[in-house]
Amino acid sequence: MSEPIGERIAQQLMLWGLLWLGAGWLGLWYNPQPFWRGFWFMGGAWGLVNAALAYAGWLGEEPDPAHLRRLLWLNAGLDILYLLAGLFLLRQKNPLFRGFGLAVLFQGLFLLGFDLWHALQI
């Protein structure tokens, strides 16, 4: 019997979130430069949010595939906004904000691919 798609997506997002939460913590511990502190802090914050969303998905009932597909397409649209926000932050003079921007770009690119991939698989 195959694993429900909603559960599989939640597991993958949880893995990504926990990896970035851990990487953010370690990065903050070892990188005193403002740019990298911004990058690791924002990466860890996104990891925490992604893990929380994945956990909420696990707790809920298995979604209807058509509803899940629409949600993934909506998320892909939001991911484009994240990319634009990341580009804006990356262009700032403050190295902390530039670090935030790179992390938002990185997370946005991953999430765009993640959401598109899963939307096309359903």
Side-chain angles (χ1 to χ4, degrees), residues 1-9 11 62 65 121-122:
M1 183 172 180
S2 118
E3 181 177 43
I5 185 73
E7 186 174 336
R8 187 171 71 237
I9 290 172
Q11 288 172 351
E62 180 66 20
Q121 297 300 311
I122 298 175

Side-chain angles (χ1 to χ4, degrees), residues 95-109:
L96 185 69
F97 290 162
R98 292 181 65 231
F100 289 164
L102 183 61
V104 171
L105 274 174
F106 195 84
Q107 295 291 327
L109 281 171

Side-chain angles (χ1 to χ4, degrees), residues 11-27 39-40 43-48 50-51 106-107 110:
Q11 288 172 351
Q12 293 170 1
L13 187 60
M14 178 64 79
L15 178 62
W16 177 256
L18 292 177
L19 285 172
W20 271 96
L21 188 56
W25 183 82
L26 287 173
F39 176 81
W40 291 117
W46 278 73
L48 180 62
N50 285 328
F106 195 84
Q107 295 291 327
F110 169 80

Side-chain angles (χ1 to χ4, degrees), residues 32-89:
Q33 297 90 1
F35 176 86
W36 289 111
R37 290 192 66 77
F39 176 81
W40 291 117
F41 175 82
M42 187 61 72
W46 278 73
L48 180 62
V49 170
N50 285 328
L53 290 172
Y55 185 68
W58 255 333
L59 293 179
E61 294 185 23
E62 180 66 20
D64 171 64
H67 175 74
L68 183 56
R69 185 181 311 109
R70 283 191 303 275
L71 182 61
L72 288 165
W73 283 111
L74 174 66
N75 282 344
L78 291 173
D79 297 336
I80 303 284
L81 294 177
Y82 303 152
L83 293 173
L84 293 172
L87 287 172
F88 173 79
L89 287 168

